[in-house]
Amino acid sequence: MNVYPPSRLLPVLLVLLSVGGAAFAQEAAPPAWEQLTPAQRDALVAPLRDRWNSAPPAQRQRMLQHGQRWQSMTPEQRDQARKGMRRFDGMSPEQREQARALFAKMRGMTPEQRTELRARWGTMSNDQRRQWVRDNPPPPRNRD
């Protein structure tokens, strides 16, 4: 089963939107959803529909929760989330593991403890960071 992270779906949707029809090339901005043809809408939704249909119930529930959370975000929060996804996509596998470990550890901390850990992290060498991750591994990636 091919499961793509949400950060990988947005570029696919944008590409599909950009090549969806000759009318797009003539307009300054892409049309509103309501102005898309049924075929264009289907081309945009198909990858998500296929992913949804092939996902087990637990993953569908997570997808639904993520969508609801996205809808509740302000435009500024969405921009920050997009920046974070792009940043994460640009990380090496080791950096991603470190980020997951830090995120998991910080979830249970007070704001003061987070600030202290960030400051400590900034002074650590690469070897010290690797050792910290070995001592504080990220939780297993449960992708049902």
Side-chain angles (χ1 to χ4, degrees), residues 44-60:
L44 291 169
V45 174
L48 182 59
R49 181 179 49 239
D50 294 344
R51 183 173 173 216
W52 177 272
N53 287 337
S54 66
Q59 186 176 351
R60 287 182 185 185

